[in-house]
Amino acid sequence: MFGFRKSSAPAFQNLTPAQFAEGLRQPGAVLVDVRRPDEFAGGHLPGAINIDVTAPDFGRRITALYQTRPTFVYCRSGARSANAAGQLAAAGFGQVSNLLGGVLDWPGPLTR
């Protein structure tokens, strides 16, 4: 056998802005902005809750979310949200999606 190994990385989906917007239409979808509070205050996607992935209490704060609901995460460019998506998947969240390109690539208006 060749050295194929099953990846131990938690599973989440990377979605384009169009796919992300479509996914948000699902009933019960949860939208999480994982940027710092000052970034969130500068403009965020409508309906988003802010849980800073770099905060020491991130792991505790995500436990308040429903693991069975589709969960959509984003940040400025997609890097921090990919980290957060991996943490959510590892914590048992079943449907986790990350916005590729973050708010930099989001075509719609932001809310303040």
Side-chain angles (χ1 to χ4, degrees), residues 16-17 20-21 24 30-35 39-50 72-76 98-99 101-112:
T16 65
F20 197 84
L24 287 174
V30 177
L31 178 60
V32 183
D33 183 320
V34 299
R35 298 176 299 161
E39 292 175 287
F40 183 81
H44 55 272
L45 274 61
I49 58 172
N50 184 217
F72 295 82
V73 295
Y74 72 94
C75 65
R76 180 177 177 271
N98 175 46
L99 175 59
V103 293
L104 292 176
D105 287 351
W106 186 252
L110 300 179
T111 301
R112 290 182 188 258

Side-chain angles (χ1 to χ4, degrees), residues 1-87:
M1 285 240 128
F2 297 110
F4 291 108
R5 293 185 315 169
K6 185 176 180 184
S7 172
S8 61
F12 62 88
Q13 292 184 325
N14 286 307
L15 302 178
T16 65
Q19 293 168 324
F20 197 84
E22 181 66 30
L24 287 174
R25 294 188 185 104
Q26 294 178 68
V30 177
L31 178 60
V32 183
D33 183 320
V34 299
R35 298 176 299 161
R36 296 184 321 267
D38 62 308
E39 292 175 287
F40 183 81
H44 55 272
L45 274 61
I49 58 172
N50 184 217
I51 304 178
D52 180 357
V53 70
T54 64
D57 65 346
F58 178 77
R60 181 186 58 78
R61 292 188 63 201
I62 63 171
T63 62
L65 302 176
Y66 294 99
Q67 292 183 348
T68 57
R69 291 189 179 174
T71 305
F72 295 82
V73 295
Y74 72 94
C75 65
R76 180 177 177 271
S77 66
R80 285 177 285 175
S81 56
N83 175 7
Q87 290 185 53

